Amino acid sequence: MGLFDRLFGKKEEPKIEEIVKEALENLDLSEDTDPALTEVEEVSQEEAEVESSESAVFEEEENQETVEENNNLEPVVEVQQEEVEEKENPELEESVEENSSEVLEAETPQVEETVQEKYDRSLKKTRTGFGARLNAFFANFRSVDEEFFEELEELLIMSDVGVQVASNLTEELRYEAKLENAKKPDALRRVIIEKLVELYEKDGNYDESIHFQDGLTVMLFVGVNGVGKTTSIGKLAHRYKQEGKKVMLVAADTFRAGAVAQLAEWGRRVDVPVVTGPEKADPASVVFDGMERAVAEGIDILMIDTAGRLQNKDNLMAELEKIGRIIKRVVPEAPHETFLALDASTGQNALVQAKEFSKITPLTAIVLTKIDGTARGGVVLAIREELNIPVKLIGFGEKIDDIGEFNSENFMKGLLEGLI
């Protein structure tokens, strides 16, 4: 079964037993009422019902009076007890307040979001923006003609799915419209959604799982400043530590004091060690120290934060190549993942960054950040189509646990739910 069928497949037909049962329940049996029921019997039934209801009311009133009497007596005893206890123990009142607040906190636990709820929440702006434009588009057209396809292509580009994706999709829809002899726009609504899903699905090879190792797993993070790279590392450190892993961080963006301080603060916050070097130190030397410590201390996951000076590509390329050589000197098959952090709110600019970084260093995966605050989540489709770099991590929001492994099925459901 394909991704589209799993997400938006037809509902199952009801079983024949359920249809028969429903028909029997709705069958009108009013004609089979016993004609022998006389008016006297009906009256006697009504009187019995009235008597039972009256006795119930009487019992309720009696109970209420008893409760009121008890309530009138209780306060006197309570006040006396409180006065005696306060005299004997003046700290009692404070301890009672503390205990009551603890009880209240225990009684109202925070409801933890499911993964799908996080996708639905973070993709709300993208889904509503895309859905509103698509609905308005179908409302404006009464027939399928060349203007229809031109406007559709423009709409898809505005939704940040990328020029290539928009062009390919429009061409495929032209073919489908001729094949099915579609005259009305609504006939193509489901086909559009189906094609979007197929574009992401491709050959069904998503490669979304992170390549964890039995021993040390080395993750290298690249990306321009301000995209949420360091924050993502900190949140992941918290996540993996919660799973029982031994985690260590390396601050290799040594030319920006703020980056080192930020990563050190995350290390303090989530209680994991951070390897740093002196100011303006050679990033590769800091990475070497981190690699040796990770091996010596039996670390499970080592995450390395690097500089993101894309405006000086030659220097950055040389720096990343040197870091790569140093990593392989200690662990030949590392880094096991090279993540590019992209800010989803930058839309097509994120796609440009991905293209540029892929020229500088081999990338194995994308970390998509800040998707909850933007309507440009469609950029995931553009990255998939134009670069074929899998998104493996996604940031859902600002909370410390708002990061998780990317799941295309959850993503497409969160993006397109309600549009069909």
Side-chain angles (χ1 to χ4, degrees), residues 365-380:
I366 302 285
V367 183
L368 197 63
T369 68
K370 307 180 186 180
I371 199 165
D372 61 306
T374 181
R376 295 178 168 182
V379 72
V380 172

Side-chain angles (χ1 to χ4, degrees), residues 76-355:
V76 179
V77 178
E78 286 177 0
V79 169
Q80 288 174 350
Q81 278 185 329
E82 286 173 5
E83 288 176 353
V84 172
E85 288 172 351
E86 282 176 9
K87 287 175 183 177
E88 292 177 356
N89 189 359
E91 296 177 0
L92 178 66
E93 188 177 351
E94 292 180 7
S95 64
V96 168
E97 285 178 2
E98 288 175 4
N99 291 335
S100 62
S101 64
E102 287 175 5
V103 170
L104 282 172
E105 287 177 5
E107 288 177 351
T108 55
Q110 291 185 344
V111 179
E112 196 169 322
E113 282 183 304
T114 64
V115 174
Q116 187 59 59
E117 285 171 344
K118 287 185 177 183
Y119 274 97
D120 292 341
R121 167 175 58 80
S122 58
L123 287 168
K124 184 178 179 182
K125 289 187 177 181
T126 297
R127 181 174 61 250
T128 52
F130 177 63
R133 284 195 289 267
L134 192 63
N135 289 332
F137 171 78
F138 280 109
N140 288 335
F141 281 91
R142 295 289 178 267
S143 62
V144 177
D145 52 18
E146 187 55 33
E147 186 182 359
F148 170 86
F149 291 111
E150 288 177 1
E151 290 283 338
L152 177 62
E153 186 172 355
E154 186 177 334
L155 181 150
L156 292 169
I157 292 171
M158 288 174 60
S159 300
D160 286 289
V161 300
V163 176
Q164 188 174 328
V165 172
S167 177
N168 292 348
L169 182 60
T170 307
E171 283 303 313
E172 288 182 22
L173 283 170
R174 279 193 179 96
Y175 175 75
E176 290 283 345
K178 290 177 182 177
L179 194 66
E180 298 182 13
N181 197 25
K183 302 294 183 185
K184 299 291 182 182
D186 272 337
L188 294 176
R189 178 189 288 267
R190 185 180 178 90
V191 179
I192 291 171
I193 305 301
E194 191 172 351
K195 292 295 179 186
L196 283 171
V197 174
E198 285 178 0
L199 277 172
Y200 195 89
E201 189 175 23
K202 286 190 175 181
D203 54 2
N205 182 23
Y206 302 106
D207 191 27
E208 292 169 357
S209 58
I210 296 172
H211 299 147
F212 290 107
Q213 307 298 303
D214 291 335
L216 174 65
T217 300
V218 180
M219 299 178 179
L220 185 67
F221 288 79
V222 301
V224 300
N225 300 331
V227 296
K229 173 166 49 79
T230 306
T231 300
S232 296
I233 294 171
K235 289 179 179 180
L236 282 170
H238 171 75
R239 177 188 175 95
Y240 294 141
K241 189 180 180 186
Q242 292 294 104
E243 293 175 0
K245 303 273 190 2
K246 290 185 69 176
V247 183
M248 181 179 284
L249 310 180
V250 177
D253 188 358
T254 56
F255 290 90
R256 197 164 61 94
V260 176
Q262 187 184 2
L263 195 67
E265 174 58 26
W266 268 109
R268 185 197 63 77
R269 184 178 175 187
V270 302
D271 193 24
V272 299
V274 181
V275 178
T276 60
E279 189 176 349
K280 303 288 179 70
D282 180 13
S285 67
V286 180
V287 171
F288 182 73
D289 291 342
M291 290 292 298
E292 286 202 318
R293 272 190 61 182
V295 171
E297 297 177 22
I299 296 296
D300 297 313
I301 298 174
L302 182 71
M303 291 186 276
I304 303 169
D305 189 12
T306 65
R309 299 182 301 279
L310 190 58
Q311 65 273 17
N312 195 345
K313 288 189 288 185
D314 292 338
N315 288 353
L316 183 59
M317 183 183 294
E319 184 178 301
L320 290 174
E321 284 178 350
K322 187 176 180 181
I323 288 173
R325 289 196 304 271
I326 292 294
I327 290 172
K328 290 184 186 302
R329 187 183 299 175
V330 182
V331 180
E333 65 275 13
H336 306 101
E337 294 282 6
T338 301
F339 288 105
L340 170 64
L342 291 178
D343 181 348
S345 65
T346 61
Q348 290 302 294
N349 191 38
L351 186 63
V352 173
Q353 289 176 24
K355 287 179 178 178

Side-chain angles (χ1 to χ4, degrees), residues 36-50:
L37 187 63
T38 63
E39 293 182 6
V40 177
E41 288 173 332
E42 290 177 357
V43 170
S44 64
Q45 280 184 352
E46 290 176 4
E47 287 176 354
E49 290 174 1
V50 170

